[in-house]
């Protein structure tokens, strides 16, 4: 059985992702940053500046702004983003995707118990990790 390796999540600015070149490779989908680094998974600390959930709750997204640019984190058939609000600060680790020439992130939750002690309602640490 072939073991599928997970991309390393690099801490980057949103601008590095948005202004990179999206590429489908043999080992997955990546954004090639301006300095040539392949970004398959990224870690971004940003503020939520917009939020959307469709009527039947099958799609939701939050728009993130880290001061360099904005990017959307999208979820399909999940209520994970329902509890987040505009103005929350989040730390997201997610897989980089592209659709209709829009680069976005798909996050997945994990539990980082040691970080929970540092959370406040104003500085929410959203523990998100993508497989």
């Amino acid at each position: 059985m072939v073991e599928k390796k997970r991309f390393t999540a690099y801490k980057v600015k949103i601008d590095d992702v948005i202004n990179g070149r999206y590429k489908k490779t043999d080992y997955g989908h990546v954004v090639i940053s301006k300095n040539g680094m392949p970004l398959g998974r990224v870690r971004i600390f940003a503020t939520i500046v917009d939020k959307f959930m469709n009527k039947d709750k099958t799609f939701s997204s939050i728009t993130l702004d880290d001061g360099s640019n904005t990017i959307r984190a999208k979820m399909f058939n999940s209520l994970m983003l329902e509890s987040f609000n505009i103005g929350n600060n989040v730390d997201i680790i997610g897989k980089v995707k592209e659709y209709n020439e829009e680069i976005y992130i798909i996050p997945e939750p994990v539990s980082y118990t040691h970080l929970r002690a540092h959370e406040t309602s104003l500085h929410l640490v959203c523990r998100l990790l993508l497989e």
Side-chain angles (χ1 to χ4, degrees):
M1 183 160 134
V2 176
E3 182 181 332
K4 187 176 179 180
K5 292 187 177 185
R6 183 167 57 178
F7 286 110
T8 299
Y10 292 102
K11 188 173 183 181
V12 296
K13 293 284 189 187
I14 293 171
D15 200 60
D16 296 330
V17 179
I18 294 298
N19 289 315
R21 183 175 41 90
Y22 190 78
K23 182 178 179 182
K24 294 178 183 179
T25 67
D26 292 339
Y27 51 91
H29 302 250
V30 298
V31 166
I32 307 298
S33 69
K34 288 187 240 179
N35 65 1
M37 180 180 286
L39 304 171
R41 291 174 67 233
V42 294
R43 181 175 182 180
I44 297 171
F45 184 77
T47 302
I48 299 172
V49 295
D50 195 20
K51 179 180 174 179
F52 171 81
M53 183 173 290
N54 67 357
K55 193 181 290 187
D56 60 359
K57 297 186 177 184
T58 58
F59 171 77
S60 60
S61 70
I62 53 176
T63 302
L64 306 169
D65 186 337
D66 69 354
S68 72
N69 212 323
T70 61
I71 193 168
R72 288 199 297 164
K74 299 181 180 183
M75 293 296 298
F76 301 89
N77 299 312
S78 172
L79 298 177
M80 182 177 72
L81 299 177
E82 187 173 35
S83 63
F84 300 114
N85 297 303
I86 293 173
N88 288 150
N89 292 322
V90 294
D91 190 7
I92 290 185
I93 297 175
K95 196 168 190 178
V96 178
K97 293 288 190 176
E98 186 264 347
Y99 181 73
N100 282 340
E101 299 182 16
E102 176 194 14
I103 295 174
Y104 63 94
I105 299 170
I106 295 188
E108 183 178 303
V110 296
S111 177
Y112 287 161
T113 306
H114 64 281
L115 291 178
R116 291 183 181 169
H118 303 288
E119 292 177 357
T120 68
S121 60
L122 295 176
H123 296 92
L124 180 67
V125 178
C126 175
R127 296 156 312 277
L128 299 174
L129 180 65
L130 187 74
E131 292 289 336

